[in-house]
Amino acid sequence: MPDSADALYEKVCQHARETALLSSIEALLGWDERCLMPAAAAEYRAEQMTLLSGMMHSRQTDPQLGEWLGALAEAASAAEPASDRGATLRQLKRQFDKKTRLPKKLVEELTRTSVLGQQAWQNAKESNDYGSFAPLLKKTIELKREQAEAVGYAECPYDALLDDFEPNELTSNLQRVLGGLRDELTPLVAAIRDSGRQADISLLKRRFPVAAQEAFGRRAAAAIGFDFERGRLDVTAHPFCTAP
């Protein structure tokens, strides 16, 4: 006897919850990599996160999940796009369609290269040695181009990558928006430059102790209600935030 729409929807949600748990484990490993992990552990951490990313990709592209989503697309609840269920199904189907275009091997290699690249960048930054980072940067760009081609795009390759952060946005529209800002800002900057006045920019050249920055960051986070019983603030080479 076929599952009812409600039972099938609960299966889909449980599948998504378990996938999200795997994702949270990968995020926790990523946080540790950037904040606390000893540098010599980079290669092993890359293998750990690569394995997890492959497992998540397999779940996100599971043919059984595709069948469930296809069956639910015919259910009456899916026809209500503003409802919680309708929105959930729409987003899961969108994610499924996008993920299935990506080869698992590419997903894994992107993860591995990202971890190794992050560590190489930190070392290169500290030693002012761009050459040591350049090969991994080149590989990352090549892999991202492969990703764009696999996913597909409307006008230019970056559309496929931009979609991860701004769904359905197009590079051409960003060029229009940013182009308008450029048209207004360029003459403003020129006027400031030609005014003969020199702003005091000494603040930009000062050095601030890491401990003082950390203390300020904690005070600022506490002031806006950040719960340090549920999350934490750490020192890292480059700012980021995550939600394991």
Side-chain angles (χ1 to χ4, degrees):
M1 181 177 179
D3 289 325
S4 68
D6 287 344
L8 200 53
Y9 178 69
E10 182 52 37
K11 283 186 177 181
V12 167
C13 288
Q14 183 60 30
H15 187 280
R17 292 186 197 104
E18 291 171 355
T19 304
L21 283 173
L22 281 176
S23 179
S24 72
I25 295 170
E26 185 185 33
L28 186 59
L29 288 174
W31 158 78
D32 178 69
E33 173 218 340
R34 295 191 182 196
C35 298
L36 299 175
M37 185 189 76
E43 290 192 11
Y44 190 65
R45 179 55 48 85
E47 293 307 310
Q48 290 176 313
M49 294 178 69
T50 296
L51 175 63
L52 277 172
S53 67
M55 293 171 64
M56 286 188 295
H57 186 71
S58 293
R59 291 183 60 84
Q60 291 166 332
T61 61
D62 187 343
Q64 179 69 77
L65 175 61
E67 292 178 12
W68 291 342
L69 290 171
L72 285 169
E74 305 300 322
S77 56
E80 302 174 15
S83 68
D84 289 347
R85 182 176 295 196
T88 298
L89 292 174
R90 183 174 65 253
Q91 291 304 316
L92 288 176
K93 181 63 164 61
R94 187 177 191 276
Q95 181 186 66
F96 177 82
D97 291 343
K98 191 171 183 178
K99 294 292 185 180
T100 51
R101 300 186 193 123
L102 291 171
K104 181 179 178 181
K105 183 178 180 181
L106 175 58
V107 172
E108 292 175 332
E109 193 58 29
L110 276 164
T111 300
R112 181 181 293 106
T113 303
S114 175
V115 176
L116 296 177
Q118 171 71 22
Q119 297 304 308
W121 169 77
Q122 288 182 205
N123 293 334
K125 179 173 177 284
E126 291 172 4
S127 59
N128 195 27
D129 179 18
Y130 170 74
S132 65
F133 173 59
L136 277 166
L137 175 60
K138 180 181 179 182
K139 184 176 182 180
T140 300
I141 294 172
E142 291 171 349
L143 290 172
K144 282 297 183 179
R145 285 174 172 162
E146 287 184 39
Q147 179 184 349
E149 292 299 327
V151 171
Y153 47 87
E155 298 171 359
C156 81
Y158 189 63
D159 290 345
L161 308 179
L162 178 61
D163 188 74
D164 287 340
F165 303 94
E166 293 290 342
N168 300 314
E169 184 60 275
L170 297 176
T171 306
S172 58
N173 187 52
L174 288 185
Q175 290 174 330
R176 178 187 63 79
V177 173
L178 296 178
L181 290 174
R182 181 188 57 208
D183 292 343
E184 296 294 329
L185 289 174
T186 299
L188 174 61
V189 171
I192 294 172
R193 181 195 61 208
D194 298 337
S195 68
R197 299 175 63 185
Q198 180 64 51
D200 180 5
I201 59 172
S202 60
L203 180 67
L204 303 178
K205 299 181 179 181
R206 288 173 57 185
R207 299 187 66 83
F208 299 89
V210 171
Q213 293 184 56
E214 183 178 10
F216 175 77
R218 292 185 68 85
R219 288 175 58 192
I224 61 174
F226 184 81
D227 186 352
F228 284 98
E229 293 298 316
R230 294 178 179 272
R232 55 185 294 132
L233 183 148
D234 296 281
V235 176
T236 182
H238 187 73
F240 76 99
C241 60
T242 187

